[in-house]
Amino acid sequence: MYFPSNMNFQYFFFATYPGYFLQILPFALLAGLVYLIIQHHKRNAMPLSKRIFGALFVSYMTGLVGLVLALDVIGHVWYQLLYHLEDDGFGIRMFAWNCNFVPDFFTHINSEMIANVAVFLPFGILYPLAKPEATWKKTLLSGFLCIVGIEILQPFFGRAFDINDIILDMI
């Protein structure tokens, strides 16, 4: 992510993993709240526990998609909200055709790989809690399809496709 030279210290924190999380958190919580409101107004309402787990899953998926596909856009929005500048110097990356089809995670582990694994752990917990008909096979298949879908879409959003991410995220 590109940051302008006149960037204040307050925004520097947003260029860290906790900062990325804090940037996406309000959007994820809003999505979960909207889900709860929609579920509340349906006639055949689910039990409260299923609605809460469903809202948590929607929040998680919103956060996940925001972190891996829309982080540049979210950073731009926050910079505009915090500093009210017309030209913030941000460039939104699109169409980066960087691809890694060779698994090499076993030769070097870095913080990005660890964060990648950690960000997908909640899927295996929240999906079966939010979906009453979920079996372990459906959970694995859904998780795999989600991971592969995100990896395939990443080059369109300025990120790289990496086979290591698919392998490590399925662990």
Side-chain angles (χ1 to χ4, degrees):
M1 184 179 281
Y2 169 76
F3 294 102
S5 59
N6 63 350
M7 175 179 63
N8 290 355
F9 175 75
Q10 296 89 354
Y11 196 77
F12 177 75
F13 175 72
F14 278 175
T16 63
Y17 288 124
Y20 297 145
F21 174 78
L22 290 175
Q23 287 180 61
I24 199 66
L25 186 62
F27 298 100
L29 292 175
L30 181 63
L33 182 63
V34 168
Y35 175 85
L36 277 177
I37 291 169
I38 290 170
Q39 288 300 319
H40 179 70
H41 290 294
K42 283 188 172 181
R43 284 203 162 138
N44 55 350
M46 295 185 283
L48 180 60
S49 63
K50 289 294 177 192
R51 284 186 281 173
I52 290 172
F53 286 126
L56 286 173
F57 185 70
V58 167
S59 293
Y60 165 73
M61 289 303 294
T62 302
L64 179 65
V65 169
L67 282 172
V68 297
L69 297 180
L71 196 54
D72 287 345
V73 174
I74 301 273
H76 177 73
V77 168
W78 278 112
Y79 197 84
Q80 291 293 321
L81 288 172
L82 292 174
Y83 299 112
H84 309 291
L85 299 175
E86 288 183 25
D87 180 22
D88 59 10
F90 276 99
I92 296 176
R93 298 172 293 166
M94 298 294 285
F95 307 111
W97 299 109
N98 299 330
C99 298
N100 177 20
F101 295 106
V102 179
D104 62 353
F105 63 89
F106 43 83
T107 60
H108 65 283
I109 300 288
N110 58 29
S111 62
E112 184 179 346
M113 288 181 176
I114 294 168
N116 221 4
V117 170
V119 82
F120 277 96
L121 284 175
F123 187 95
I125 298 166
L126 291 174
Y127 183 80
L129 292 173
K131 299 278 191 178
E133 69 280 353
T135 62
W136 68 271
K137 287 180 182 179
K138 285 182 181 179
T139 302
L140 280 176
L141 179 63
S142 298
F144 177 74
L145 292 174
C146 177
I147 291 165
V148 169
I150 286 173
E151 283 301 317
I152 289 171
L153 288 174
Q154 279 186 341
F156 294 100
F157 293 92
R159 310 262 330 255
F161 174 91
D162 193 351
I163 195 70
N164 294 306
D165 291 349
I166 294 173
I167 295 168
L168 290 171
D169 292 345
M170 285 304 294
I171 293 177

